[in-house]
Amino acid sequence: DVSTVHVCHTVRARALAGLLPLRTRIHHRVCRFWESRLYPRFPYLIAISAKVREELRALGRHGGMATVLHGVGSEFTPAADRGAVRKKLADWFSIPADEPWFLFVGGEFLVKGLDRVLEFLAAARGVKPWLWVLGNDHLAHWKQEAERRGVADRVRWPEFLADTASFYQACDLLLLPSRYDAFGLPALEAMACGCPVLVSDQAGVAELVEHGKEGWVVPGNAPVASWLPPISALLTDRARWEECSGHAVRKAVAHTWEQAQQALTAVGL
């Protein structure tokens, strides 16, 4: 009687038209077929973000819906000694611990906007961060792309590790400029660890980021040069970074998986 909607494939396919491989386009076509037939039959739908809820409304679903956001696990907390975590990672991957560190986490790198992150790294003036990329999506291609843009020496590719919390704790900023993202859990996990975020307005998690407070929400099609002023201000003002970090943690602790379960219970599930 109830279905949780994690992504609206009909809208996702439109948003990413021309960007996806054939296999994914076929997958979307199959999902769109079942969405059109099954969603109207469910008495109740749970959307994982306001973004998904609005997409369902745009497709003609009215009533019988609630929004229950994703949560974060208890392992995602600020480090007791952030400096020690940074030193450990710096030693492992041979990078300076006292320079800015950015973080990108996810799969489907093109959809999540890794090309735009690399573009920013190449174009940034006055800010020369290191970038950690956690994930695995045709790494050979993306390493070549980093090389082509002249930033390969400042990018590290640890792929997915069991201890992702350490990267969230150690980094200065998470970048998630998604072209489409029904939610964007890495941003919430980063916030829980005290890492400010820059997210696209095309990500559902953007509803949890107050622009200039926990981080920044940027238009999905904004030129990457527009990211530089807020990022520069964050990295050159330690008190400002600490303030954003604190806001991020306080926002995230209100969205645990336990609280998500309570929200489901509140709607009678």
Side-chain angles (χ1 to χ4, degrees), residues 1-12 31 34-36 38-57 59 61 63-70 180-184 204 207 264 269:
D1 292 341
V2 177
S3 176
T4 299
V5 182
H6 290 269
V7 60
C8 185
H9 291 275
T10 301
V11 177
R12 187 177 192 271
C31 290
W34 287 110
E35 281 179 346
S36 66
L38 293 179
Y39 285 168
R41 299 183 183 182
F42 281 104
Y44 214 86
L45 296 177
I46 304 293
I48 65 165
S49 66
K51 173 181 174 64
V52 171
R53 184 189 65 230
E54 293 307 311
E55 290 172 355
L56 290 169
R57 285 179 176 164
L59 294 177
R61 176 76 186 206
M65 289 193 296
T67 303
V68 176
L69 303 180
H70 280 331
Y180 178 93
D181 210 327
F183 189 71
E207 69 181 273
L264 288 172
L269 301 178

Side-chain angles (χ1 to χ4, degrees), residues 106-111 114 135-142 157 159:
E108 289 189 301
F109 288 170
L110 183 62
V111 175
L114 180 56
N136 192 342
D137 180 20
H138 300 94
L139 286 183
H141 163 78
W142 287 101
W157 311 81
E159 303 184 31

Side-chain angles (χ1 to χ4, degrees), residues 167-180:
F167 290 90
Y168 291 135
Q169 292 165 347
C171 286
D172 299 298
L173 184 69
L174 176 107
L175 298 170
L176 191 69
S178 304
R179 291 177 166 87
Y180 178 93

Side-chain angles (χ1 to χ4, degrees), residues 96-109:
D98 58 351
E99 295 186 7
W101 290 5
F102 290 175
L103 179 62
F104 176 94
V105 180
E108 289 189 301
F109 288 170

Side-chain angles (χ1 to χ4, degrees), residues 94 113 243:
S94 301
E243 183 181 13

